[in-house]
Amino acid sequence: MKQMAFEKVLTANDTGESGSHQAGIHIPKTNQELVEFLPALDPNVRNPDSWLTLKDPQGREWKIRYIYYNNSLHDKQGTRDEYLLTHIRGFLREHGALKGDALRLSKDETGSYLASVIKSVAQNEEPGAPKRIKLSGWRRVH
């Protein structure tokens, strides 16, 4: 069985390099395959969430929160309608994630979530070498 995995090229906001207080990494609702890869969250509940345990390549476990901020569906003046991964900055910091690196999420054969940081090729290029273009956003890689 092929392992399904998704990658997102990280922004300065994702890694904390921008100094922002961003709450988490955005999961686009339009990427239905990615949304289905993550635990189901009931839109009939206000701001449903699920705590995930991610295993890193060293076997350490990290708790992150997957949340659907959906007050636009429940409050008359609500404006939020977005999925986020929060409580992930510690994992990114520990793995030296920088803008341009990629976060990879996958599942093993038991359904456990695995996470790793893929270092950007651009960071290892020689000065003056042509810059490689990296796509942003989430994409399926397997």
Side-chain angles (χ1 to χ4, degrees):
M1 181 171 110
K2 235 181 189 185
Q3 186 182 64
M4 185 182 290
F6 292 87
E7 283 184 6
K8 181 194 188 289
V9 175
L10 298 168
T11 66
N13 278 343
D14 295 333
T15 63
E17 293 172 78
S18 69
S20 77
H21 62 280
Q22 178 178 324
I25 296 176
H26 183 256
I27 303 292
K29 292 182 301 193
T30 56
N31 189 335
Q32 197 59 41
E33 195 173 35
L34 175 58
V35 171
E36 290 173 3
F37 170 79
L38 295 164
L41 298 177
D42 184 354
N44 296 312
V45 173
R46 187 177 192 271
N47 299 334
D49 69 339
S50 179
W51 284 90
L52 307 176
T53 300
L54 304 178
K55 287 185 186 175
D56 69 15
Q58 292 75 34
R60 290 177 292 185
E61 294 185 347
W62 300 81
K63 296 280 188 196
I64 67 164
R65 185 179 184 208
Y66 175 50
I67 185 165
Y68 178 28
Y69 286 109
N70 64 2
N71 69 6
S72 69
L73 304 176
H74 298 275
D75 301 335
K76 201 173 199 177
Q77 296 183 349
T79 58
R80 293 187 82 177
D81 185 18
E82 62 183 337
Y83 292 95
L84 292 174
L85 294 177
T86 64
H87 298 268
I88 196 166
R89 281 227 180 126
F91 168 84
L92 295 175
R93 196 173 11 257
E94 177 71 20
H95 290 87
L98 299 171
K99 173 186 169 186
D101 293 342
L103 170 65
R104 178 179 284 182
L105 295 179
S106 61
K107 288 183 188 176
D108 66 15
E109 59 281 345
T110 69
S112 295
Y113 288 95
L114 310 173
S116 59
V117 171
I118 311 300
K119 298 306 281 179
S120 169
V121 174
Q123 291 179 23
N124 300 319
E125 289 178 353
E126 294 190 24
K131 296 291 179 197
R132 295 193 177 159
I133 298 172
K134 214 163 187 191
L135 301 175
S136 60
W138 286 96
R139 66 184 182 95
R140 183 175 173 181
V141 291
H142 295 273

